[in-house]
């Protein structure tokens, strides 16, 4: 052996790195040669270790026996462990069964090493573990290892049965790592953020009861066929953006303190996120694709839960999910019959496409279905017991409601502007709109848009009560009277189809009121004498129809008009002297003086 001055990371495929004076050792390195190891000429090594010189063992081929011989020469620390201190093994080849168990590896470089079958680091201690580009064969045991402040496994490759259970990491970098048939991180603790970006797992990946104190990043990871991530604890955000999860995934019992980000994740089979709790952040599933059954039972978040533009192919149930903020289902595409159980301050189903029968059950909060497109029956219902007030349906603007059934929801603030298929909307018994203010007006149901229109026109301060407000802080323009007439006409037909004659009468009255007001409003805009006369006649007829006939659905007004006419006629006959006296003669004639009434 000889002492030479070589770079730290010398190996067979070594390329000269950029000069970094901060990483140059302060002492000359002892170069351990392959021939000295093979002949057992290690006395110079003993001298170098005694002088605490760094050792360059890069590019060597070491059997289990060779490594054991080197371990026997290491100094023993206060805890009785053997210490590799400032050893450079970059590019070395370790044979089958090499054992680093219980060793302390300080300032050691194991980058681009090749470890044969059965290598073990169980119980080892690192100050900083460098395994960049390393290759591990089957049965790599790295359990109960303290990897120090940072562990770098970037671009490393593992065979089958890689085990990291019960280990401790500071920060770690597993970006672009390739794992074999199985990899286990059971009960492992990651003190700083764990980065597995673009890693690839084989058949099984296990993170049961792992703890991520600084959060985790699994962006772009392929988790293989089976992922076991049960009971994990994450004290910061957990990111799975673009990950791919195999056909069997159990992700139950999570506790996330921060955000849970699973955007564009592909679940290729059944998945379970049962009992997950997200605090101090949102749970985000935008653009995710669920190809199997989905178990989200008990998923709760203190913030929002977002499924915007997600696609569900074969799930029969989503929920129950509970959000402290908003449950966003906008743009959701549903291909299979499904029941959605939700509790949130707001459930937003805007622009969703429901291609199969579905049922949305709400125990609290408000619901918005603007722009909804459904080709099959959709039941929107309130589910007792209510956590607070009765859930409300606030808006269906621009939606296709032809296949919707509303059951038990509060619809007093519901907006229909631009909605289609209203005439086929099913309103089950007990679903009522806010009534018009009492007084001389007809007692009838009136939708929120009419309440706002009349309040804006200063008709009466009694219109547009708080029950008709959506309380979402959105700026809403008043709907035209022509549009309101269309909505009332469609709602009337929907009530008639369900044999609800009194309810249909209320909506017919509202339709005629909007036609009357629209005709009166259009009167000044008429051009030409003929148009003005025609519109004036229409306005007069509608006014008379309202005052005299009650639009044909309020009998009190015609009855009152008949009584008025009868009483007025009697008064007129009496006051006009139309009662005369006549005398009847015995011959059968008439004699003046006898009282005979005639008109």
């Amino acid at each position: 052996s000889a002492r030479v001055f070589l770079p730290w990371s010398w190996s067979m495929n070594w390329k000269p790195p950029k000069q970094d004076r901060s990483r140059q050792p302060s002492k000359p390195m002892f170069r351990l040669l392959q021939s000295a190891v093979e002949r057992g000429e290690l006395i110079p090594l003993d001298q170098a270790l005694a002088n605490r010189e760094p050792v360059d063992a890069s590019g060597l081929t070491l059997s289990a026996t060779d490594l054991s011989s080197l371990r026997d020469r290491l100094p023993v620390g206060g805890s009785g462990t053997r210490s590799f201190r400032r050893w450079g093994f970059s590019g070395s080849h370790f044979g089958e069964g090499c054992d680093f168990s219980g060793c302390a590896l300080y300032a050691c470089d194991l980058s681009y090493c090749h470890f044969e079958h059965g290598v073990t680091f169980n119980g080892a201690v690192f100050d900083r573990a460098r395994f960049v580009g390393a290759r591990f064969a089957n049965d790599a045991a790295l359990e109960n290892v303290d990897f120090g402040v940072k562990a770098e496994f970037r671009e490393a490759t593992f065979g089958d049965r890689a085990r990291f259970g019960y280990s401790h990491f500071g920060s770690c970098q597993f970006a672009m790592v390739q794992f074999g048939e199985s990899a286990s991180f059971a009960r492992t603790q990651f003190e700083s953020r764990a980065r597995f970006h673009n890693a690839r797992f084989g058949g099984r990946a296990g993170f049961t009861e792992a703890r991520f104190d600084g959060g985790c990043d699994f962006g772009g990871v392929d988790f293989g066929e089976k992922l076991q991530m049960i009971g994990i604890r994450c004290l910061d955000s957990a990111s799975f953006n673009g990950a791919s999860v195999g056909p069997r995934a159990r992700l139950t019992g999570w506790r996330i303190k921060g955000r849970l980000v699973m955007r564009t994740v592909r679940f290729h089979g059944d998945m379970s996120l049962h009992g997950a709790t997200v605090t101090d952040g949102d749970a985000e599933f935008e653009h995710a694709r669920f190809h199997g059954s989905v178990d989200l039972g008990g998923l709760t978040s203190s913030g929002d839960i977002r499924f915007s533009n997600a696609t569900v192919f074969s799930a029969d149930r989503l929920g129950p999910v509970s959000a402290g903020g908003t449950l966003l289902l906008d743009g959701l595409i549903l291909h299979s019959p499904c029941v959605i159980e939700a509790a949130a301050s707001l459930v937003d189903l805007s622009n969703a496409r429901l291609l199969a029968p579905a049922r949305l059950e709400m125990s609290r909060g408000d619901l918005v279905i603007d722009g909804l497109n459904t080709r099959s029956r959709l039941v929107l219902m309130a589910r007792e017991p209510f956590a607070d007030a009765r859930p409300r349906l606030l808006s269906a603007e621009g939606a296709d409601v032809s296949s919707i059934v509303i059951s038990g929801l509060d619809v007093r603030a519901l907006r229909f502007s631009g909605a289609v298929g209203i005439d086929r909307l099913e309103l089950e018994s007990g679903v009522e709109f806010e009534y018009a203010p009492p007084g001389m007006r007809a007692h009838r149901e009136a939708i929120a848009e009419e309440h706002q229109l009349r309040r804006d026109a200063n008709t009466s301060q009694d219109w547009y009560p708080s029950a008709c407000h959506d309380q979402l802080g959105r700026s809403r323009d008043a709907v035209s009277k022509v549009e309101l007439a269309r909505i009332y006409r469609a709602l009337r037909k929907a009530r008639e189809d369900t044999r609800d004659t009194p309810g249909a009468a209320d909506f017919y009255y509202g339709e005629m009121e909007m036609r009357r007001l629209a005709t009166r409003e259009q009167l000044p805009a008429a051009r030409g004498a003929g148009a003005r006369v025609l519109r004036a006649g229409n306005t007069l007829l509608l006014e008379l129809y309202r005052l005299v006939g009650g639009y044909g659905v309020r009998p009190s007004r015609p009855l009152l008009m008949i009584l008025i006419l009868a009483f007025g006629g009697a008064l007129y006959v009496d006051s006009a002297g139309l009662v005369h006296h006549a005398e009847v003669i015995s011959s059968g004639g008439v004699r003046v003086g006898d009282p005979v009434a005639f008109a």
Side-chain angles (χ1 to χ4, degrees), residues 56-95:
D56 177 14
S58 58
L60 300 181
T61 299
L62 301 174
S63 65
T65 303
D66 295 335
L67 181 60
S68 178
S69 178
L70 294 178
R71 285 185 56 177
D72 292 341
R73 286 172 165 75
L74 296 176
V76 179
S79 58
T81 58
R82 300 280 183 175
S83 299
F84 287 94
R85 187 177 296 273
R86 291 187 295 174
W87 282 60
F89 288 105
S90 180
S92 293
H93 188 123
F94 293 89

Side-chain angles (χ1 to χ4, degrees), residues 83-123:
S83 299
F84 287 94
R85 187 177 296 273
R86 291 187 295 174
W87 282 60
F89 288 105
S90 180
S92 293
H93 188 123
F94 293 89
E96 182 175 350
C98 281
D99 188 2
F100 286 90
S101 296
C103 291
L105 296 99
Y106 299 135
C108 291
D109 188 2
L110 293 160
S111 299
Y112 304 104
C113 288
H114 183 192
F115 299 94
E116 292 288 353
H117 175 84
V119 66
T120 176
F121 284 85
N122 289 345

Side-chain angles (χ1 to χ4, degrees), residues 137-191:
N138 298 340
D139 294 311
L142 297 98
E143 296 182 299
N144 200 27
V145 176
D146 185 348
F147 285 97
V149 296
K150 186 173 184 180
E152 298 180 79
F153 285 87
R154 188 176 60 255
E155 299 180 6
T157 303
F158 290 85
D160 298 341
R161 298 177 296 280
R163 303 187 301 275
F164 290 84
Y166 300 93
S167 293
H168 178 274
F169 291 86
S171 64
C172 66
Q173 179 62 266
F174 282 88
M176 295 176 286
V177 172
Q178 179 71 50
F179 293 95
E181 178 62 24
S182 65
S184 174
F185 290 83
R187 296 179 177 84
T188 302
Q189 181 178 1
F190 299 88
E191 189 173 325

Side-chain angles (χ1 to χ4, degrees), residues 477-560:
D477 297 330
V479 180
S480 70
K481 300 175 181 65
V482 175
E483 173 68 5
L484 278 174
R486 180 192 74 85
I487 295 171
Y488 272 126
R489 184 163 52 251
L491 287 173
R492 170 177 60 83
K493 183 179 183 303
R495 282 278 174 87
E496 288 174 347
D497 291 343
T498 59
R499 305 295 189 270
D500 184 0
T501 304
D506 284 358
F507 291 141
Y508 178 72
Y509 195 100
E511 175 193 353
M512 296 306 298
E513 277 286 272
M514 293 303 105
R515 288 180 59 185
R516 178 181 67 84
L517 295 176
T519 304
R520 189 170 65 181
E521 187 179 64
Q522 294 167 0
L523 183 60
R527 295 183 178 181
R532 290 193 184 96
V533 170
L534 181 60
R535 290 193 178 180
N538 289 337
T539 302
L540 180 60
L541 285 175
L542 289 173
E543 291 287 356
L544 291 175
Y545 190 25
R546 176 177 70 95
L547 293 173
V548 177
Y551 296 128
V553 294
R554 289 296 182 265
S556 58
R557 292 188 181 184
L559 180 60
L560 179 61

Side-chain angles (χ1 to χ4, degrees), residues 193-507:
R193 191 163 187 82
R195 294 176 171 84
F196 285 79
H197 197 75
N198 290 329
R200 295 291 179 268
F201 290 85
R204 295 187 301 275
F207 288 85
T208 300
E209 297 185 17
R211 177 167 175 163
F212 301 91
D213 293 345
C216 55
D217 180 7
F218 289 93
V221 173
D222 184 348
F223 284 103
E225 180 181 359
K226 184 177 181 180
L227 172 61
Q228 295 276 353
M229 198 172 278
I230 303 171
I232 68 169
R233 301 292 183 270
C234 188
L235 303 184
D236 205 330
S237 61
S239 175
F240 293 79
N241 282 341
S244 176
V245 181
R248 293 184 295 166
R250 291 189 63 194
L251 316 176
T252 59
W254 288 14
R255 298 291 182 271
I256 310 294
K257 188 178 177 62
R259 296 167 61 207
L260 172 60
V261 184
M262 304 191 85
R263 300 193 195 102
T264 66
V265 175
R266 302 294 185 267
F267 295 94
H268 294 283
D270 300 345
M271 66 85 67
S272 173
L273 200 61
H274 191 93
T277 300
V278 182
T279 58
D280 300 336
D282 303 334
E284 304 173 13
F285 298 86
E286 290 100 327
H287 298 280
R289 298 171 69 88
F290 302 89
H291 290 270
S293 65
V294 182
D295 178 12
L296 298 179
L299 172 62
T300 61
S301 171
S302 61
D304 299 338
I305 299 179
R306 299 189 176 98
F307 284 89
S308 302
N309 300 302
T311 304
V312 178
F313 290 96
S314 59
D316 58 357
R317 180 173 294 274
L318 289 176
V321 295
S322 177
T326 302
L327 173 59
L328 288 168
L329 301 172
D330 54 311
L332 175 71
I333 302 176
L334 193 64
H335 289 269
S336 61
C338 185
V339 176
I340 304 173
E341 299 179 39
S345 61
L346 174 66
V347 178
D348 188 350
L349 203 60
S350 300
N351 301 310
R353 294 175 57 200
L354 307 183
L355 308 179
R359 185 171 77 248
L360 174 61
E361 301 178 359
M362 295 181 59
S363 58
R364 66 177 174 89
D366 300 329
L367 173 62
V368 173
I369 58 171
D370 294 346
L372 175 67
N373 182 5
T374 175
R375 299 181 184 177
S376 301
R377 183 181 177 90
L378 170 63
V379 179
L380 305 176
M381 62 179 297
R383 183 177 183 179
E384 297 183 353
F386 303 134
D388 197 355
R390 182 182 296 273
R392 303 192 306 165
L393 177 57
L394 298 182
S395 181
E397 295 183 352
D400 181 357
V401 298
S402 57
S403 302
I404 292 180
V405 180
I406 300 177
S407 175
L409 294 174
D410 183 349
V411 296
R412 291 178 294 176
L414 178 56
R415 309 292 179 121
F416 287 99
S417 178
V420 297
I422 303 176
D423 57 329
R424 295 189 294 277
L425 175 66
E426 294 186 36
L427 300 172
E428 293 194 351
S429 60
V431 177
E432 295 182 345
F433 295 86
E434 183 67 20
Y435 282 86
M440 296 300 293
R441 308 174 189 88
H443 183 68
R444 62 182 177 89
E445 292 182 75
I447 63 176
E449 282 136 319
E450 182 184 356
H451 278 273
Q452 181 181 358
L453 183 144
R454 290 184 180 272
R455 179 63 177 272
D456 292 345
N458 294 318
T459 302
S460 170
Q461 296 298 313
D462 295 332
W463 286 96
Y464 202 40
S466 60
C468 296
H469 299 178
D470 65 7
Q471 297 177 355
L472 297 180
R474 297 188 293 184
S475 176
R476 292 186 179 274
D477 297 330
V479 180
S480 70
K481 300 175 181 65
V482 175
E483 173 68 5
L484 278 174
R486 180 192 74 85
I487 295 171
Y488 272 126
R489 184 163 52 251
L491 287 173
R492 170 177 60 83
K493 183 179 183 303
R495 282 278 174 87
E496 288 174 347
D497 291 343
T498 59
R499 305 295 189 270
D500 184 0
T501 304
D506 284 358
F507 291 141

